[in-house]
């Protein structure tokens, strides 16, 4: 056996076969240091036994027998046979090189079994001093030590490199570059370990610069040590006799100051001394503390802390300077370490708090100067007993400045009794010549005789210890064992002495206030139980001199004296978080009985209608559709299977006919009363168009037998409507708001017989989410039928997803499209004679141009990948000329709204053209304009996005112009960037576009791309949306349905999203305040019910809560549409100046808001022509402003549907709802709400060092130059203000702003941030991520990276306020009509952000 300190070098043959597996403590701790240096000697060429593993570090083993199995090389061993990426050791070396650190070194230890364990040592050399800093090895804690044990040295080394990388780069997503097993470690065990460490206050272990983190801790510890030594010297100098009983490390002595070292606390370390400072005014802090003590809820879920955790927390906090019994009391009431620390910082009086938790230069007992000196003297005398100044002031005022009455009232409050005393004869202290503040009132009963006699006796007994202050008050010096200096006991006659105890107070320099109060409380309780009715002062003195040392040792619970420690006692009622989940609305189950009265009535009406001429005419048209021939197959497939897949080409009638076949079959089988068919569509226009079409075919009115439901609009009648076309989002919201559990989701579909999911091939996020839910519902609802429909359906994929093996019915309908002739880009250029006039030479190697004329090839090369609008116009002219007098419309497919508007501008210049837009942002009424024929003599030309690809049918289209482009959202989870990019459409989508031209007759499709582009650049099908968009809204919706394990739920999707994207989304929801651990917060519940971008939803909820609803509605609509300002190429400076005039330095969104408000006011009182002129003058788009107005209306409807606003609310009459809008003009508040809504999209503002210029009146501070102000965010480091922002040239920001929120960031040559809003420190504290208290006294850490210098108690108060605000929002869920305008929590939060914590 190798000795400790030596590595095992033998062949390992000495180990018994049945030897027990050694514990991790048996690992040999000797260090074998590896280096990447070329000068190091190479290992021996021959290796035997387990030491061969060491040789594997260098890749090969020499002298291996030829017939021995080939050892895998390092890459295969670490990454697997197919791994081609980088290895952890290489990645760590590259990282160290980039950071200019030394090459990493590796320790290596070996267990008795021959297993290996390694650790990394990092070093850094200061280039100036040449001093090298060595970090301790990155060592796993004992609970995770087993992870490091590996079969070979090379594996151990790579494991160590991975853990070291995690320690310095856990905030980045570089784990995606690691081999699979190490990637899993990163997101699994390592991530869990980090959460535990951060929770326990060890977040410094994961700093990106570990060398700086070590320096900071060493400097902070040195500073704390210096402070402690200075305090101890000061205590020794003062010979504080109470120090032996109450002093301890970290405890402020005497006056509670931070010591002479306190004036250097802001220079503890780099990184904190330039952090913004946060302060709270005294009156504001008092009000916040009162509110928290009165309403705070601690550990509402009654979580129990384990005994092991209790011991660890107690030991840690005692080391931090808290008293052990205080920590024990806190642990009984709190759920975890963080809450325990918050409880202590709120409940422990300031004069007993550790020095690190106090503000710079803190001195206890300092009060504001006052012109009323006598009144201040009374308050000071009352407070000497330990009562808070605020409480003394309040009680004294309540008693008409009668000090005697106030003193007795304070004592009763301390005992938990009534706090008002009416004295018999009040002598105002203004008449007292001695200024002691005593009222010489006469008591009742025997007290008038007993008290004077007792004073004579006391003076005789105590001699020099006794002093008479007035006829009703005396002082006695107490002689307490172990205390060289006596404590002063002041006794005042009570109003009913001796039937009640006298009023007493104890004063002693250095004795904390709550201990003095505890002494008073116990003494009075002793008197009340044993001494009433007789002279009692002597007995009280004797009892106090005996009991005070024990009380000082254990003064009891802080809560026992909390009523006297502030102006309000803490509400200790038994309260917990109610289960606010609304009771499940169980809908009546399906009645499948045949021949019910309702079913027979429906059958009778249906039979009567079949005989009408109108119905016969419609049937004739329906019979011509291909789907009609397969109606029996469709009905049978649906009847015999829970899931049926119907695929059919464009024009087959699958969307309009299948639902009717199912309904007619149920009616004829006399179960029509049970029919309730919901058909989902991906877009509003599809739902509206199909509802119109099907109701026409059934000769009924929309809203009767056939209806629809889209966001903000619905036409259906419960019980009567049998087919309802809905957008997918509407059905999801129905499931989401059903109650909050899987059973509730099932119950939400209890009255539904069939769910038809149309256009599943598009693989939208909502569709994939719905399929996951339906698959789970089908397990509990055997009678529910699900039908999937699409034109280009990969049926096998869906078949397998829903079980396969014949469980899924399949029907395929052949299309009925007329032939469509294709023309590619070169054909279009030839036929139109288009000449871009660029004169570019043609590349001979360009395969795009193979076999083309030189002129055509030159034109194609000139056009490139861009959309050429002149070519579009010429193509429209040619089609119009070819059609001549024939009827028929032209449909142009474009990627987005901007391209549609530009196309319409050029097309409208063509004579006799009726040009119309079609996209999802249009209102339903505007979308419907594309269906009717064009006016006589006009050619209908529709410029559309991909909404026209499927579902809707525009009957008169005979020609399609396809640009082959589409705008798609892409999301990169590694850098958290979202991009809306213009990309090539898929070949499947282009096939759908082409089919639009052959619906009514033979048509033509003009493809403005080459054949080669179609084959090589277009994907066969689009990637599912769930793989390319942010998942925050989806994860929140899943969580709102009661799903505990969101990643597992989404892993069951048809195409599961990336695990990293899901983890990132859940983390972001936590940072946004939508979830807390595994629980959905009240804010999260509200956000889940509003169909909008989460940031916009959050802004609207905040707006309604804080009384600026209309302003926040407008900003949300602006963010959804775009800024109303236009920026012409030749007038960008003028446009920016106009926007800056409206913003007035408040930020981009405030400028847009004020511009919209001005436009909205003018719209009511000005002619349209004047309004357009005003818009042009101010570089505003009238159309965009109208779009913003329309979007506001939709959001308002959503808030009403979510129950957050009364249904009677209207923007046109918002003055009637004063509480919702009384703060619309307060810029500071709106900026704070914007920042809170955009969190964590925050950048800190770093100003340069202040510069001053001499002047006659002295030095004057200069404004910094805009270019010297820098901005930093968490993900990218330094970021830059986009040149289009109104704050691009800003030299300062309003309201002490130290941070900038942004809605978008974009990476070009630099990372730019846009839609900027500056905000202050309190906005950050109240609305940003979690607040962590720095226990080294440096300040607060917000959201894991933003530092604030300030008092730790401020962070605690704000943290509790945030919890209370969420409770207010939870009550709003229970009672939507609740008026939050006068809510105390909302009011104080609003005041904090408006005044940045100050009193005024």
């Amino acid at each position: 056996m190798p000795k400790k300190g030596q590595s095992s070098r033998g062949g390992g043959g000495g180990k018994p076969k049945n030897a027990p597996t050694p514990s991790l403590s048996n690992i040999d701790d000797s260090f074998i240091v590896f280096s990447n240096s070329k000068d190091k000697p190479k290992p021996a060429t021959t290796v035997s036994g387990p030491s061969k593993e060491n040789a594997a570090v260098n890749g090969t083993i020499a002298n291996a027998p030829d017939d021995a199995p080939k050892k895998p090389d390092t890459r295969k061993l670490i990454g697997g046979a197919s791994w081609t990426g980088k290895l952890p050791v290489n990645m760590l070396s590259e990282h160290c090189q980039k950071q200019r650190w030394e090459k990493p070194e590796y320790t290596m230890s070996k267990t008795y079994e021959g297993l290996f364990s390694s650790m990394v040592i990092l070093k850094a050399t200061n280039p100036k001093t040449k001093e090298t800093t060595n970090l301790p090895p990155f060592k796993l804690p004992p609970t995770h030590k087993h992870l490091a044990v590996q079969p070979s040295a090379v594996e151990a080394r790579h494991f160590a490199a991975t853990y070291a990388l995690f320690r310095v780069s856990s905030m980045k997503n570089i784990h995606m570059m690691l081999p699979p097993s190490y990637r899993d470690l990163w997101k699994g065990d390592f991530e869990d370990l980090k959460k535990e460490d951060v929770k326990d206050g060890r977040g410094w272990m994961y700093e990106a610069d570990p060398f700086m983190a070590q320096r900071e801790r060493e400097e902070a510890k040195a500073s704390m040590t210096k402070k402690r030594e200075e305090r101890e010297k000061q205590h020794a100098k003062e010979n504080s006799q109470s120090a032996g009983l109450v002093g301890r490390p970290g405890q402020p002595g005497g006056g509670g100051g931070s010591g002479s070292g306190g004036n250097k606390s802001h220079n503890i370390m780099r990184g904190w001394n330039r952090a913004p400072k946060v302060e709270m005014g005294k009156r504001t802090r008092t009000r916040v503390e009162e509110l928290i003590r009165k309403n705070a809820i601690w550990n509402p879920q009654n979580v129990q802390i384990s005994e092991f955790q209790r011991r660890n927390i107690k030991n840690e906090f005692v080391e931090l300077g808290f008293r052990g019994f205080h920590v024990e009391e806190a642990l009984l009431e709190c759920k975890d370490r963080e809450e325990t620390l918050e409880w202590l910082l709120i409940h422990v009086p300031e004069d007993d708090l550790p020095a690190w938790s106090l503000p710079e230069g803190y001195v206890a007992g300092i009060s504001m100067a006052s012109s009323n000196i006598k009144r201040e003297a009374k308050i000071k005398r009352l407070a000497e007993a330990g009562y808070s100044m605020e409480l003394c002031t309040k009680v004294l005022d309540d008693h008409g400045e009668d000090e005697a009455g106030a003193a007795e009232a304070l004592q009763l409050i301390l005992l938990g009794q009534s706090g008002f005393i009416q004295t018999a004869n009040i002598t105002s202290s203004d008449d007292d010549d001695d200024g002691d503040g005593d009222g010489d009132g006469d008591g009742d009963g025997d007290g008038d005789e007993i008290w004077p006699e007792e004073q004579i006796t006391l003076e005789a007994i105590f001699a020099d210890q006794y002093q008479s202050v007035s006829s009703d008050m005396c002082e006695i010096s107490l002689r307490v064992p172990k205390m060289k200096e006596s404590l002063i006991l002041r006794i005042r006659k009570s109003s009913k002495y001796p039937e009640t105890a006298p009023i007493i107070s104890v004063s002693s320099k250095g004795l904390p206030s709550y201990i003095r109060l505890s002494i008073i409380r116990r003494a009075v309780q002793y008197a009340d139980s044993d001494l009433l009715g007789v002279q009692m002062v002597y007995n009280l003195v004797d009892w106090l001199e005996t009991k005070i040392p024990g009380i000082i040792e254990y003064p009891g619970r802080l809560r026992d004296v909390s009523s006297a420690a502030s102006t309000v006692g803490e509400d200790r009622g038994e309260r917990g978080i109610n289960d606010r989940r609304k009771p499940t609305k169980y809908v009546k189950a399906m009645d499948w009985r045949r021949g019910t009265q309702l079913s027979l009535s429906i059958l009778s009406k249906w039979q009567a209608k079949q005989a009408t001429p109108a119905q016969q005419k419609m049937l004739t048209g329906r019979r011509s559709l291909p789907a009609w021939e397969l109606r029996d197959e469709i009905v049978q497939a649906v009847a015999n299977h829970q899931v049926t897949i119907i695929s059919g080409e464009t024009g087959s009638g699958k969307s309009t006919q299948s639902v009717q076949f199912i309904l007619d079959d149920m009616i004829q089988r006399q179960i029509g009363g049970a029919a309730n068919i919901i058909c989902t569509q991906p877009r509003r226009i599809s739902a509206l168009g199909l509802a119109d079409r099907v109701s026409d075919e059934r000769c009924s009115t929309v809203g009767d037998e056939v209806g629809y439901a889209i966001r903000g609009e619905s036409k259906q009648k419960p019980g009567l409507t049998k087919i309802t076309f809905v957008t997918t989002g509407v059905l999801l919201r129905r499931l989401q708001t059903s109650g909050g559990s899987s059973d509730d989701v099932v119950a939400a579909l209890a009255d539904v017989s069939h769910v038809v999911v149309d256009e599943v091939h598009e693989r939208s996020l909502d569709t994939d989410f719905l399929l996951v839910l339906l698959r789970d519902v089908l397990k509990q609802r055997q009678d529910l039928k699900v039908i999937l429909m699409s034109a280009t359906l990969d049926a096998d994929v869906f078949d397998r997803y829903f079980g396969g093996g014949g469980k899924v019915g399949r029907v395929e309908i052949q299309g009925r499209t007329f032939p469509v002739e294709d023309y590619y880009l070169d054909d279009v250029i030839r036929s139109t004679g288009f000449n871009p006039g660029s004169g570019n030479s043609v590349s001979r190697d360009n395969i795009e141009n193979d076999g083309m004329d030189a002129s055509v090839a030159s034109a194609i090369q000139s056009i490139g990948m861009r959309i050429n609008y002149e070519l579009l116009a010429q193509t429209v002219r040619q089609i119009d000329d070819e059609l001549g007098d024939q009827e028929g419309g032209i449909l142009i497919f474009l990627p987005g709204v901007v391209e549609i508007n530009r196309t319409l501008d050029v097309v409208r210049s063509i004579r006799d053209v009726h040009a119309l837009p079609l996209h999802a942002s249009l209102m339903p009424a505007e979308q419907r304009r594309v269906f009717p024929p064009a006016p006589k003599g006009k050619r209908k030309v529709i410029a559309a996005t991909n909404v026209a690809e499927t579902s809707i049918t525009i009957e008169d289209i005979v020609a399609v112009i396809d640009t082959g482009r589409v705008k798609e959202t892409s999301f990169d989870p590694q850098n958290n960037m979202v991009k809306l990019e213009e990309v090539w459409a898929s070949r499947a989508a282009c096939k759908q576009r082409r089919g639009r031209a052959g619906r009514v007759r033979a048509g033509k499709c003009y493809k403005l791309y080459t054949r080669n582009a179609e084959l090589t650049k277009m994907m066969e099908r689009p990637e599912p949306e769930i793989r390319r968009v942010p998942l925050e809204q989806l994860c929140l919706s899943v969580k709102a349905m009661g799903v505990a394990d969101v990643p597992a739920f989404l892993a069951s999707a048809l195409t599961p999203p990336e695990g990293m994207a899901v983890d990132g989304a859940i983390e972001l929801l936590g940072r946004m305040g939508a979830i807390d651990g595994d629980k959905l917060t009240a804010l999260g519940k509200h956000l889940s019910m509003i169909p909008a971008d989460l940031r916009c939803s959050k802004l609207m909820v905040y707006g309604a809560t804080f009384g600026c609803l209309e302003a926040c509605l407008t900003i949300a609509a602006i963010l959804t549409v775009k800024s109303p300002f236009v920026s012409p190429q030749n007038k960008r400076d003028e446009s920016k100046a106009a926007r800056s005039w409206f913003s007035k330095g408040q930020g981009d969104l405030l400028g847009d808001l004020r511009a919209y408000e001005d436009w909205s006011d003018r719209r009511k009182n000005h002619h349209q022509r004047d309004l357009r002129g005003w818009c042009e003058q101010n570089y505003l788009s009238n159309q965009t402003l109208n779009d913003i107005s329309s979007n506001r209306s939709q959001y308002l409807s959503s808030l009403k549907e979510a129950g957050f606003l009364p249904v009677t609310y209207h923007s046109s009459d918002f003055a009637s709802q004063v509480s919702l809008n009384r703060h619309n003009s307060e810029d500071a508040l709106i900026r704070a709400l914007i920042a809170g809504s955009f969190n964590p999209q925050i950048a800190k503002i770093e100003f340069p060092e202040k510069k001053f210029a001499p002047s006659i009146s002295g030095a004057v501070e200069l404004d910094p130059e805009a270019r010297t102000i820098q901005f930093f965010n968490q993900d990218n480091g330094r970021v830059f203000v986009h040149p289009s922002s109104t704050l691009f040239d800003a030299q300062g920001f309003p309201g002490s702003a130290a941070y900038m929120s942004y809605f978008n960031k974009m990476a070009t040559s630099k990372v730019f941030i846009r839609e900027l809003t500056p905000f202050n420190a309190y906005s950050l504290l109240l609305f940003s991520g979690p607040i962590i208290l720095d226990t080294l006294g440096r300040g607060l850490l917000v959201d894991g990276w933003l530092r604030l210098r300030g008092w730790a108690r401020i962070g605690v108060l704000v943290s509790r306020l945030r919890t209370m605000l969420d409770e207010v929002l939870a009550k709003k869920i229970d009672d939507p009509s609740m008026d939050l305008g006068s809510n105390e929590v909302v009011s104080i939060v609003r005041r904090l952000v408006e005044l940045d914590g100050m009193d005024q």
Side-chain angles (χ1 to χ4, degrees), residues 1073-1127:
I1075 59 175
D1076 181 10
D1078 291 333
K1079 303 289 184 182
L1080 196 66
T1081 64
L1083 175 62
K1085 291 177 183 176
H1086 283 302
L1087 299 184
S1088 69
M1089 293 188 289
I1090 302 173
D1093 181 283
L1094 284 180
R1095 295 166 295 179
C1096 295
S1097 299
K1098 192 175 179 183
L1099 181 60
M1100 291 185 285
V1101 169
Y1102 279 160
T1105 303
F1106 288 93
C1108 45
L1109 171 62
E1110 289 294 317
C1112 291
L1113 264 177
T1114 301
I1115 294 172
I1118 289 169
L1119 292 169
T1120 304
V1121 181
K1122 63 177 179 178
S1123 170
F1125 286 92
V1126 294
S1127 183

Side-chain angles (χ1 to χ4, degrees), residues 49 255 260 459 477 560 667 786 876 956 973 1000 1055 1073 1110 1165 1173 1189 1261 1275 1340:
S260 59
E459 186 175 8
S477 296
D560 294 339
I667 292 173
V786 172
V876 171
D956 55 352
V1000 293
T1055 304
E1110 289 294 317
N1165 306 314
S1189 178
E1261 185 178 344
D1275 294 330
L1340 312 170

Side-chain angles (χ1 to χ4, degrees), residues 1110-1368:
E1110 289 294 317
C1112 291
L1113 264 177
T1114 301
I1115 294 172
I1118 289 169
L1119 292 169
T1120 304
V1121 181
K1122 63 177 179 178
S1123 170
F1125 286 92
V1126 294
S1127 183
Q1129 188 75 23
N1130 57 343
K1131 292 189 176 181
R1132 287 186 175 175
D1133 291 341
E1134 293 89 339
S1135 171
K1136 188 173 176 181
R1139 193 181 188 191
S1140 298
W1141 185 87
F1142 281 103
S1143 72
K1144 296 179 171 57
Q1146 299 289 329
D1148 301 329
L1149 295 175
L1150 268 293
D1152 294 348
L1153 166 66
R1154 301 308 175 201
Y1156 174 86
E1157 290 175 340
D1158 201 344
W1159 173 82
S1160 184
D1161 292 339
R1162 290 174 181 273
R1163 185 170 60 162
K1164 300 172 185 174
N1165 306 314
H1166 289 72
H1167 191 275
Q1168 190 66 27
R1169 182 177 59 189
D1170 296 336
L1171 188 62
R1172 283 197 296 268
W1174 178 82
C1175 287
E1176 292 176 3
Q1177 180 183 346
N1178 288 282
Y1179 296 92
L1180 290 164
S1181 167
N1182 192 57
Q1183 180 59 50
T1184 302
L1185 288 163
N1186 277 302
D1187 291 342
I1188 293 169
S1189 178
S1190 171
N1191 211 275
R1192 284 179 85 260
S1193 301
Q1194 293 180 23
Y1195 280 153
L1196 194 58
S1197 298
S1198 297
L1199 289 173
K1200 292 179 184 179
E1201 290 174 13
F1204 205 74
L1205 293 180
V1207 293
T1208 56
Y1209 180 86
H1210 295 286
S1211 290
S1212 57
D1213 186 30
F1214 67 79
S1216 62
Q1217 299 283 344
V1218 178
S1219 64
L1220 291 171
N1221 290 289
R1222 63 163 56 99
H1223 302 291
N1224 273 331
S1225 60
E1226 295 179 12
D1227 290 344
L1229 174 62
I1230 296 173
R1231 286 191 281 108
L1233 300 184
I1234 291 172
S1237 303
F1238 291 2
N1239 178 63
Q1241 292 169 215
I1242 290 171
K1244 65 177 180 179
I1245 305 172
E1246 193 164 291
F1247 294 95
E1249 296 289 343
K1250 293 182 178 180
K1251 295 182 179 180
F1252 298 87
S1255 68
I1256 298 175
S1257 57
V1260 177
E1261 185 178 344
L1262 299 175
D1263 288 333
E1265 296 181 24
R1267 62 184 175 83
T1268 64
I1269 301 175
Q1270 297 182 340
F1271 304 86
F1272 298 87
N1273 74 356
Q1274 187 177 16
D1275 294 330
N1276 308 97
R1278 187 175 180 186
V1279 294
F1280 297 84
V1281 174
H1282 196 272
S1284 65
S1285 172
T1286 58
L1287 300 175
F1288 181 71
D1289 298 318
Q1291 295 176 284
F1293 306 100
S1296 305
Y1299 305 95
M1300 193 79 74
S1301 69
Y1302 58 90
F1303 190 73
N1304 283 315
K1305 66 179 178 181
M1306 55 186 297
T1308 53
S1309 56
K1310 303 173 181 176
V1311 177
F1312 289 102
I1313 51 177
R1314 307 182 64 163
E1315 292 87 36
L1316 306 181
T1317 305
F1319 63 97
N1320 59 26
Y1322 267 95
S1323 303
L1324 178 80
L1325 281 172
L1326 284 160
F1327 296 110
S1328 188
I1331 301 170
I1332 298 174
L1333 307 178
D1334 182 77
T1335 53
L1336 294 177
R1338 297 170 294 186
L1340 312 170
L1341 191 67
V1342 183
D1343 207 15
W1345 72 287
L1346 294 165
R1347 292 168 173 170
L1348 284 170
R1349 288 183 299 123
W1351 191 6
R1353 180 172 263 180
I1354 292 177
V1356 175
L1357 294 176
V1358 172
S1359 181
R1360 302 313 300 179
L1361 265 183
R1362 287 163 57 161
T1363 302
M1364 294 165 67
L1365 180 61
D1366 194 67
E1367 184 71 11
V1368 170

Side-chain angles (χ1 to χ4, degrees), residues 146-216:
H146 63 281
L147 296 174
V149 179
Q150 300 292 321
S152 66
V154 67
E155 289 169 283
R157 193 177 186 214
H158 282 281
F159 176 92
T162 305
Y163 181 59
L165 269 174
F166 183 81
R167 287 283 295 268
V168 298
S169 302
S170 62
M171 67 295 298
K172 301 178 182 178
N173 289 317
I174 62 173
H175 65 284
M176 295 304 294
M177 301 165 61
L178 290 168
S181 58
Y182 297 91
R183 188 188 311 155
D184 295 340
L185 272 171
W186 187 293
K187 293 305 289 183
D189 294 297
F190 290 174
E191 193 66 46
D192 294 340
L193 181 59
K194 179 183 176 181
K195 289 177 182 176
E196 292 176 16
D197 286 334
V198 172
K199 186 176 181 180
D200 293 337
R202 295 188 293 273
W204 53 268
M205 293 171 59
Y206 299 91
E207 291 282 351
D209 187 343
F211 299 97
M212 179 179 289
Q214 178 171 278
R215 284 197 302 272
E216 290 172 353

Side-chain angles (χ1 to χ4, degrees), residues 970-979 1030 1276 1305-1307 1311-1312:
S970 64
F971 175 62
D972 182 356
Q974 290 194 23
N975 59 19
N976 199 30
M977 292 282 281
V978 181
K979 297 178 182 178
N1276 308 97
K1305 66 179 178 181
M1306 55 186 297
V1311 177
F1312 289 102

Side-chain angles (χ1 to χ4, degrees), residues 824-831 833-866 871 1010-1011:
Y824 287 88
L825 181 58
D826 54 322
D827 303 318
V828 175
I829 291 173
R830 289 190 192 94
S831 60
F834 177 72
N835 181 11
S838 63
N840 291 341
S841 60
V842 182
S843 171
R844 294 181 179 179
D845 297 331
N846 193 339
I847 61 173
E848 297 274 350
N849 307 325
D850 283 352
M852 296 182 187
D853 299 337
S855 59
V856 174
S858 175
I860 291 175
Q861 190 166 323
S862 177
I863 293 170
M865 296 295 104
R866 302 183 309 275
L871 176 59
T1010 64
R1011 292 172 177 82

